[in-house]
Amino acid sequence: MELPNQQVAASFDEIADLLELAGDNQFKIRAYRRAAEIVRSLDEPAAELLRRDQSAIPGIGEALRSKIWEMESEGRIEYLERLRAQIPAAIVVLTRVPGIGPRTARRLHESLGIEDVASLLAAARAGRIREMPGFGAKTEANIIKAIQSMQSDGGRKPLYQALPLAQQIVSELLKVSGVEHADAGGSIRRRRDTIGDIDIIAATTDAGRLMERFASLDVFQEITSMGPLRASAVTRSQIRCDLWAVPPESYWTGLHHVTGSKDHHVRLRGIAGRMGLLINERGVYRDSDGQAIGIESEEDIYSLLGMSYIPPELREDRGEIEAALSGALPAIIGRHSIRGDLHMHTSWSDGGESIDDMARAAQAIGYDYIAITDHSRSLGVAHGLSVERVLQQIDEVRGANARARGIRILAGAEVDILKDGSLDFPDEILERLDVVVASIHSGFRQDRATITGRIVAAMQNPHVDILAHPTGRLLARRPGYDVDIGTVIREAARTGTALEINSYPDRLDLDDEHARAARDAGVMIAVNTDSHASGELANMEYGVWVARRAWLEPRHVANTMSCDELIEWLHTHKAARG
Ligand SMILES: [Zn+2]
Ligand SMILES: [Zn+2]
């Protein structure tokens, strides 16, 4: 049986997580993380590639190869099993609370018997934590605060943590005999940037067999409930997963139902009611005689209601129903519209590969152009380039471009917006670059007026083409800096500066609502990956999903232009770009 890449990647990620908790060495941890990323980006099963050629996958050496073979033949990795046994599940769970490291988690677990976040909160509220040596009332208050803020976002997880798991579960369920269709619905299918839980629906003629297989999947830590047609489980990464089994004739209304959103459905049901129809998860029925109407796709549901098909990413009741009724839905962008990537790093700063490597990988994806945008001098942690180094790099990029066939390589930089709003390279340098991406990497705690003023000042520089990761947020780790995004959008429109949707899966800013506001204000958007290795170029799909949710069409996105059009756009005086 074929071993799915998602399963290999999830196991490598879990090994990295557990090694991190065990305090193992960073080099080893990074090797597993990198391997997970590489395997996830392959188009062919890793095991097959390696069988043909042992060194087919750079970054996968002997030790990792043998784990892939083991997983294929045994269905498990001994090493991972051992790590799981060494590190109690409670410790894994407790370290998800911000501020609690592995050592603290172990002490809380061992001395107070704390098993999960709920019992930790109860212990903190009861004043039991301050009684432990080395812990005070302040620590206790911080723990309460951290748990409350975790719970206020409903414990949502970034899409990239849940989507590969959901895909892995679905692909396993599709192999079960009797299963005709299966898919993940909910915010995963709508491609929201964070998700609450994984909802899976499967059409089957043999629900018993489906439930049995679901319960046996290795991704789950615990099966929390099991009925004839429904089951719930919790994954090892603490994401809840619900499964619905439906008969094949109810699949499309069922999928439509679990996809949501609730607001979208309420509106649709209202429209259906006025037409004398009843829609629920089992089917569509005529009010008059209760007769079921045959539904063979989601398209059928929308056309029955007299509207054009609404893609899942738009189902939020943000005007899509009115647009679909009047035939005015936007032709939203797809992954294939993207012709280049305008933000990436190489080993010149904090990336892992050469300019040529990145260009080759981009060409293999089918791009017409890329921009190399390494960090500027002030970003010491990322080996930012000095003025001399960036001049050298421009020559190097010109050379690589001359060697390359079929892809254009543009010279760029990700120039830091310094604390006073000035840029990290002088104008004489910026004007030699084809593309200037500007961004903030410091002074995150400045107040709203100061941060917004910094960004506005940067956008007023005529050489700045794109404002990168405009809010600085990291999903589930840190909120963005306090920026007035309305002002940024207005100023971007006025100066002709593009705003970025950063496809790095834990950034994804601008978010969908801000990107849509930018679109409406006439701002050009660039969807970039900010890759630090060629395997990360595949993250583009995450940015495209945000763009789809923001109602963007190809004409709203700079990197859907041909290279010549793009260069012309870059040369046009910024204020006149429009
Ligand atoms: Zn950056
Ligand atoms: Zn970057």
Side-chain angles (χ1 to χ4, degrees), residues 249-496:
E249 63 274 17
S250 292
Y251 179 69
W252 297 106
T253 43
L255 175 65
H256 186 254
H257 180 82
V258 299
T259 299
S261 69
K262 205 175 269 166
D263 293 341
H264 178 84
H265 280 209
V266 168
R267 296 286 313 284
L268 287 187
R269 273 185 242 122
I271 292 167
R274 287 192 288 282
M275 297 173 72
L277 297 169
L278 172 75
I279 295 185
N280 63 28
E281 64 273 31
R282 285 183 303 280
V284 181
Y285 306 90
R286 260 199 306 267
D287 274 345
S288 51
D289 53 6
Q291 185 71 41
I293 298 170
I295 296 290
E296 275 159 37
S297 65
E298 281 190 320
E299 281 83 350
D300 282 357
I301 301 172
Y302 289 98
S303 79
L304 203 59
L305 298 177
M307 54 180 87
S308 40
Y309 173 71
I310 301 179
E313 293 93 330
L314 299 185
R315 299 181 195 167
E316 300 289 348
D317 191 23
R318 294 180 189 160
E320 74 279 7
I321 290 172
E322 291 74 4
L325 282 169
S326 62
L329 264 188
I332 53 173
I333 188 173
R335 171 65 188 74
H336 57 273
S337 300
I338 300 288
R339 300 176 72 171
D341 191 336
L342 300 174
H343 182 171
M344 69 187 65
H345 301 270
T346 69
S347 46
W348 282 69
S349 66
D350 61 347
E353 293 168 48
S354 69
I355 296 167
D356 290 301
D357 290 339
M358 297 304 278
R360 254 192 307 275
Q363 193 169 8
I365 290 177
Y367 288 156
D368 300 329
Y369 52 88
I370 54 169
I372 301 295
T373 56
D374 277 306
H375 292 287
S376 59
R377 55 190 172 184
S378 292
L379 206 59
V381 289
H383 308 287
L385 304 187
S386 63
V387 164
E388 297 72 45
R389 292 270 294 156
V390 77
L391 289 173
Q392 275 174 31
Q393 195 194 35
I394 294 173
D395 286 341
E396 186 86 13
V397 168
R398 302 293 177 222
N401 187 52
R403 287 191 296 277
R405 293 279 164 270
I407 186 156
R408 292 275 288 276
I409 311 171
L410 305 177
E414 179 175 13
V415 58
D416 252 59
I417 302 171
L418 301 177
K419 289 194 180 129
D420 63 358
S422 65
L423 294 171
D424 199 21
F425 283 139
D427 282 359
E428 310 85 83
I429 300 296
L430 299 181
E431 75 187 5
R432 294 184 188 219
L433 296 164
D434 303 314
V435 182
V436 175
V437 173
S439 61
I440 283 191
H441 295 104
S442 61
F444 278 45
R445 285 160 197 262
Q446 287 175 335
D447 62 51
R448 191 177 180 88
T450 309
I451 294 249
T452 308
R454 271 167 87 181
I455 293 178
V456 166
M459 289 192 295
Q460 284 170 350
N461 183 304
H463 302 297
V464 170
D465 300 301
I466 300 169
L467 176 69
H469 45 77
T471 73
R473 71 167 178 180
L474 291 178
L475 290 169
R477 302 221 310 264
R478 92 181 168 216
Y481 31 75
D482 189 13
V483 57
D484 176 355
I485 204 79
T487 300
V488 170
I489 288 171
R490 264 196 311 282
E491 197 61 17
R494 196 183 68 78
T495 58

